[in-house]
């Protein structure tokens, strides 16, 4: 009699355990749950990529400082270098190319709002 009671209780416990496991797995495989898992993985991958990029940038700065020190370069700006250039845009109009008329508005302008940086280490 105790044997039957033991096996009946063990079977009932195993059934409850299996049912709970199956229900959890079914909930994990719903479209909403899969979408949430994918979004979490994407965010996690983004954080890892950002951390990697920051580590690379720190390493680049450290190595650049080491090379500058080894070559005797000064990290401060060189006062002998000229200032930033301005870009000239030449606009050709069909009227001005055919005739020898000169129109001051369409000839060529300096773009004072355009800022091109020649610094390769700057964020783009």
């Amino acid at each position: 009699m105790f044997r039957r009671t033991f096996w009946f209780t063990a079977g009932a416990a195993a059934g409850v355990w299996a049912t709970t496991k199956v229900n959890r797995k079914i909930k994990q495989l719903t479209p909403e749950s899969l979408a949430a898992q994918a979004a979490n993985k994407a965010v996690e991958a983004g954080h890892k990529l950002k951390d990697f990029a920051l580590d690379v940038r720190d390493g680049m700065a450290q190595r650049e400082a080491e090379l500058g020190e080894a070559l005797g370069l000064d990290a401060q700006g060189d006062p002998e270098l000229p200032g930033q250039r301005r870009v000239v845009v030449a606009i050709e109009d069909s009227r001005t190319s055919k005739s020898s008329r000169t129109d001051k508005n369409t000839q060529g302008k300096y773009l004072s709002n355009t800022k091109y940086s020649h610094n390769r280490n700057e964020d783009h």
Side-chain angles (χ1 to χ4, degrees):
M1 180 146 159
F2 287 111
R3 233 185 234 180
R4 288 183 185 178
T5 306
F6 170 77
W7 286 115
F8 177 77
T9 307
V16 169
W17 177 80
T19 304
T20 305
K21 285 292 241 182
V22 168
N23 285 335
R24 283 184 188 164
K25 194 53 97 171
I26 288 173
K27 286 181 184 178
Q28 285 181 348
L29 296 176
T30 61
E32 295 84 15
S33 178
L34 291 175
Q37 288 175 7
N40 289 339
K41 292 288 185 181
V43 168
E44 183 180 328
H47 287 303
K48 286 181 181 180
L49 185 63
K50 181 182 175 186
D51 290 342
F52 174 73
L54 291 175
D55 288 345
V56 168
R57 183 175 288 177
D58 290 343
M60 283 178 18
Q62 180 183 4
R63 182 65 178 148
E64 186 177 344
E66 290 172 2
L67 289 174
E69 187 177 308
L71 296 174
L73 299 176
D74 188 19
Q76 308 295 329
D78 191 359
E80 297 178 11
L81 293 177
Q84 188 175 4
R85 296 186 204 174
R86 300 170 95 189
V87 178
V88 177
V89 177
I91 301 172
E92 185 176 326
D93 189 67
S94 61
R95 292 179 289 138
T96 58
S97 63
K98 291 181 183 176
S99 64
S100 62
R101 270 191 320 170
T102 305
D103 186 10
K104 291 181 183 178
N105 292 333
T106 59
Q107 194 65 335
K109 296 181 179 181
Y110 283 102
L111 296 177
S112 60
N113 293 340
T114 305
K115 295 181 182 178
Y116 292 103
S117 174
H118 299 285
N119 184 358
R120 294 175 59 183
N121 294 327
E122 185 177 275
D123 288 330
H124 296 284

Coordinates of all heavy atoms in Angstrom, one line a residue, residues 93-101 103 106:
D93 N 25.9 79.2 -65.6 CA 24.6 79.4 -66.1 C 24.6 79.3 -67.6 O 25.6 79.7 -68.2 CB 24.0 80.8 -65.6 CG 22.5 80.9 -65.9 OD1 21.7 80.2 -65.4 OD2 22.2 81.8 -66.8
S94 N 23.6 78.8 -68.2 CA 23.6 78.7 -69.7 C 23.6 80.1 -70.3 O 24.2 80.2 -71.4 CB 22.3 78.0 -70.2 OG 21.1 78.7 -69.8
R95 N 23.1 81.1 -69.7 CA 23.2 82.5 -70.3 C 24.6 83.0 -70.2 O 25.0 83.6 -71.1 CB 22.2 83.4 -69.5 CG 20.8 83.1 -69.7 CD 19.9 84.1 -68.9 NE 20.1 83.7 -67.4 CZ 20.2 84.6 -66.5 NH1 20.2 85.9 -66.7 NH2 20.4 84.2 -65.2
T96 N 25.3 82.8 -69.1 CA 26.6 83.3 -69.0 C 27.6 82.6 -69.8 O 28.6 83.1 -70.2 CB 27.1 83.3 -67.5 OG1 27.1 82.0 -67.0 CG2 26.2 84.2 -66.7
S97 N 27.4 81.3 -70.1 CA 28.4 80.5 -70.8 C 28.3 80.9 -72.3 O 29.3 80.9 -73.0 CB 28.2 79.0 -70.7 OG 26.9 78.7 -71.1
K98 N 27.1 81.3 -72.8 CA 27.0 81.6 -74.2 C 27.4 83.0 -74.5 O 28.0 83.3 -75.5 CB 25.5 81.4 -74.6 CG 25.1 80.0 -74.7 CD 23.7 79.8 -75.1 CE 23.3 78.4 -75.1 NZ 21.9 78.2 -75.4
S99 N 27.1 83.9 -73.6 CA 27.4 85.3 -73.8 C 28.6 85.7 -72.9 O 28.9 85.0 -72.0 CB 26.2 86.2 -73.6 OG 25.8 86.1 -72.2
S100 N 29.1 86.8 -73.1 CA 30.3 87.3 -72.3 C 29.8 88.1 -71.1 O 30.6 88.8 -70.5 CB 31.3 88.0 -73.2 OG 30.6 89.2 -73.7
R101 N 28.5 88.1 -70.9 CA 28.0 88.9 -69.8 C 28.4 88.3 -68.5 O 28.6 87.1 -68.3 CB 26.4 88.9 -69.8 CG 25.8 90.0 -70.6 CD 24.3 90.0 -70.3 NE 23.7 88.7 -70.3 CZ 22.4 88.5 -69.9 NH1 21.7 89.6 -69.5 NH2 21.9 87.3 -69.8
D103 N 27.4 88.1 -64.5 CA 26.4 88.3 -63.5 C 27.1 88.0 -62.2 O 27.5 86.9 -61.9 CB 25.2 87.3 -63.7 CG 24.1 87.6 -62.8 OD1 24.1 88.7 -62.1 OD2 23.2 86.8 -62.7
T106 N 25.8 84.9 -60.0 CA 25.9 83.5 -60.4 C 27.4 83.2 -60.7 O 27.7 82.1 -61.1 CB 25.1 83.2 -61.6 OG1 25.5 84.1 -62.7 CG2 23.6 83.4 -61.3

